[in-house]
Amino acid sequence: MEGGNSSEVVDSYNGKVHDDEVPETAHQISTDSWFQVGFVLTTGINSAYVLGYSAAVMVPLGWIFGVIALIAATAISLDANILIAKLHEFGGKRRIRYRDLAGYLYGRRAYSLTWGLQYVNLFMINTGYIILSGEALKAAYVLFFNDHAMKLPYFIAIAGFVCALFAIGIPHLSALGVWLGVSTFCSMVYIIIAIVLSVQDGIKAPPRDYSIPGSTTSKIFTTIGACASVVFAFNTGMLPEIQLPLTSHRVDIALVATIRQPVVENMLKSLYFQFSVGVLPLYAVTFVGYWAYGSNTTTYLLNSVNGPVWMKTAANIAAFLQSVIALHIFASPMYEYLDTRFGIKGRALSVHNLSFRIGVRGGYLTINTFVAALLPFLGDFMSLTGAISTFPLTFILANHMYLVAKKTKLSSLGKLWRWFNVCFFCCLAVTAAIAALRLIAVDSKTYNLFADL
């Protein structure tokens, strides 16, 4: 096939999707060392979402099970991501997209299903970022104007508008440039301030209540929801898209720039860095926040801290800016797909290209913003995202694909372990989805739609 037409060639015998010719991307690519990629991955897991894990994970689980859950989630997430990294060049070809690998192993339906799950995953993550941005703006506002005139949905609308302006102005990931440095700096600001102020509060505060709140039924559902939130913390479901080579210009850009050859070896180094050094800030914020405030920890940690107004303002503005930039990164796979599909090339500021971004990206983020304002329950969104997309993409699909790809090379014990993971996470995904939907329904009744939390 010529001219960048559809790349999928389906073998009529086995129904597998082959990557004989992948359309050229409308976006730019570059090359990164394993350390650069590991650093970007680390920045990703230490996004403003870390300000919610004390409440979303530790409060429902308590000290013992909360610590165990975070450490266990780190280990199993590393294992699942290693499986996908090792399959990147399966069959003698690069599988540059998660859905390409699924299509090659299972067929066209799996290709479409995987893409659908990835889209849902990113949509939910981006909705959460808009909620975070709105909460950060409101937290900064009430430091100066405690008049209750501005409600959370208003701030979410403002945040969504800023995100849309940013998406329209930044055509692709390579154009982020200095904004990646701004994102890293902002992450350091709110993490350091949150830890310092939480420690000060914890030292001064009387003994805290660390008991798990709620009735027995409520505890069961919140515990299951917390399990989904904890795996959400470490996974994106986009790892194959991260492993992109400089030598191939026919790629589908996802979260970060390209990684150098040898791709698999360098990606493994990046993952080891992410899941060792990279998780330490997340652990610190989560544990210190819960230690300082116990079961009264708020879903946005900066609402709990006490300290100088200027420090809290700086932390909230930093969280807002980082969320805007992070949302653009996580929305980029959809932007790239649409830009490539409709042949958006040439000057970024041409009338045609600018109009396209205003209409398409602005429309996409309008939907995100409406959902965020309608149901501004950040912890519930973490749980639901983990249940309906992170579990299937990161654990169920990863383990089963490894089974299919390596079935002749795995020992009986290895096969049994992978099947156990598939079955266990299937059950956990179903129960976690039910628990998350129940939490959203309960919170909707308690706070009403478009709640001012």
Side-chain angles (χ1 to χ4, degrees):
M1 289 179 287
E2 302 294 336
N5 292 327
S6 176
S7 65
E8 300 162 15
V9 178
V10 181
D11 189 311
S12 60
Y13 177 73
N14 57 26
K16 293 180 179 178
V17 178
H18 298 274
D19 302 305
D20 288 352
E21 186 174 327
V22 181
E24 290 191 7
T25 178
H27 291 190
Q28 298 178 14
I29 60 173
S30 58
T31 183
D32 288 331
S33 67
W34 69 265
F35 180 77
Q36 288 172 296
V37 172
F39 188 76
V40 174
L41 288 170
T42 296
T43 302
I45 65 171
N46 288 291
S47 70
Y49 270 113
V50 300
L51 299 173
Y53 296 147
S54 295
V57 176
M58 298 301 295
V59 170
L61 297 178
W63 271 120
I64 296 176
F65 291 108
V67 172
I68 292 174
L70 272 172
I71 294 174
T74 305
I76 61 176
S77 298
L78 173 61
D79 176 65
N81 280 280
I82 286 174
L83 298 184
I84 296 300
K86 289 181 176 179
L87 293 177
H88 181 65
E89 296 179 319
F90 177 70
K93 287 187 178 181
R94 294 201 132 96
R95 309 297 163 189
I96 59 175
R97 294 177 280 193
Y98 215 141
R99 58 188 184 274
D100 291 344
L101 180 58
Y104 179 80
L105 290 172
Y106 303 119
R108 184 180 294 275
R109 288 185 179 179
Y111 176 95
S112 301
L113 178 61
T114 304
W115 178 221
L117 284 173
Q118 286 183 299
Y119 174 80
V120 170
N121 190 51
L122 295 177
F123 181 88
M124 297 291 288
I125 289 173
N126 291 332
T127 300
Y129 273 123
I130 294 176
I131 296 174
L132 270 172
S133 301
E135 288 191 338
L137 280 181
K138 182 184 177 183
Y141 176 85
V142 298
L143 291 173
F144 301 94
F145 308 99
N146 197 16
D147 53 11
H148 303 288
M150 291 286 287
K151 309 297 184 183
L152 179 59
Y154 304 157
F155 290 105
I156 288 176
I158 295 171
F161 180 72
V162 174
C163 289
L165 289 179
F166 193 81
I168 293 166
I170 307 296
H172 46 70
L173 284 181
S174 297
L176 277 172
V178 69
W179 289 107
L180 287 175
V182 172
S183 176
T184 302
F185 175 76
C186 288
S187 296
M188 293 174 61
V189 168
Y190 62 70
I191 286 174
I192 291 173
I193 291 177
I195 291 174
V196 169
L197 296 184
S198 295
V199 169
Q200 289 182 353
D201 287 346
I203 292 173
K204 298 176 183 178
R208 272 77 70 194
D209 178 15
Y210 296 112
S211 61
I212 299 173
S215 63
T216 301
T217 302
S218 176
K219 289 179 181 178
I220 293 173
F221 282 105
T222 54
T223 298
I224 296 171
C227 292
S229 296
V230 75
V231 297
F232 167 82
F234 299 106
N235 300 282
T236 64
M238 302 298 293
L239 187 66
E241 286 85 346
I242 295 174
Q243 300 170 286
L244 301 175
L246 175 65
T247 54
S248 173
H249 294 283
R250 300 177 299 177
V251 297
D252 185 19
I253 294 294
L255 301 182
V256 297
T258 59
I259 188 168
R260 292 175 186 162
Q261 296 273 21
V263 178
V264 174
E265 180 181 334
N266 283 333
M267 199 64 221
L268 290 177
K269 290 180 181 178
S270 300
L271 288 172
Y272 294 141
F273 180 84
Q274 176 193 7
F275 285 98
S276 55
V277 177
V279 299
L280 296 181
L282 183 153
Y283 282 179
V285 174
T286 303
F287 294 148
V288 169
Y290 184 60
W291 167 78
Y293 309 107
S295 58
N296 292 320
T297 306
T298 58
T299 55
Y300 179 64
L301 183 59
L302 293 179
N303 284 335
S304 297
V305 300
N306 297 290
V309 171
W310 71 267
M311 288 185 70
K312 295 169 68 175
T313 301
N316 283 301
I317 296 302
F320 169 73
L321 291 174
Q322 200 280 336
S323 296
V324 171
I325 299 168
L327 183 149
H328 186 73
I329 294 173
F330 279 89
S332 286
M334 180 54 63
Y335 297 160
E336 193 279 335
Y337 169 78
L338 292 170
D339 289 353
T340 302
R341 176 71 181 270
F342 292 98
I344 303 301
K345 296 182 179 180
R347 293 189 305 111
L349 296 179
S350 68
V351 174
H352 176 263
N353 290 352
L354 192 59
S355 300
F356 181 85
R357 291 201 301 275
I358 291 173
V360 173
R361 298 187 184 186
Y364 173 78
L365 290 172
T366 297
I367 297 172
N368 271 130
T369 303
F370 177 77
V371 174
L374 183 72
L375 301 167
F377 313 120
L378 183 62
D380 299 351
F381 264 96
M382 289 183 193
S383 299
L384 187 61
T385 305
I388 67 177
S389 55
T390 306
F391 276 134
L393 283 173
T394 304
F395 300 108
I396 300 171
L397 193 58
N399 278 279
H400 195 268
M401 284 197 298
Y402 198 76
L403 269 170
V404 173
K406 305 289 185 179
K407 56 185 175 183
T408 60
K409 298 180 180 180
L410 289 175
S411 65
S412 298
L413 185 60
K415 291 179 182 178
L416 184 63
W417 171 245
R418 295 302 163 196
W419 273 117
F420 170 79
N421 277 274
V422 170
C423 296
F424 174 76
F425 286 112
C426 277
C427 295
L428 194 55
V430 173
T431 54
I434 295 171
L437 290 172
R438 178 188 178 276
L439 289 172
I440 291 176
V442 169
D443 284 342
S444 297
K445 290 180 180 178
T446 303
Y447 298 105
N448 300 316
L449 302 179
F450 299 101
D452 180 34
L453 303 181

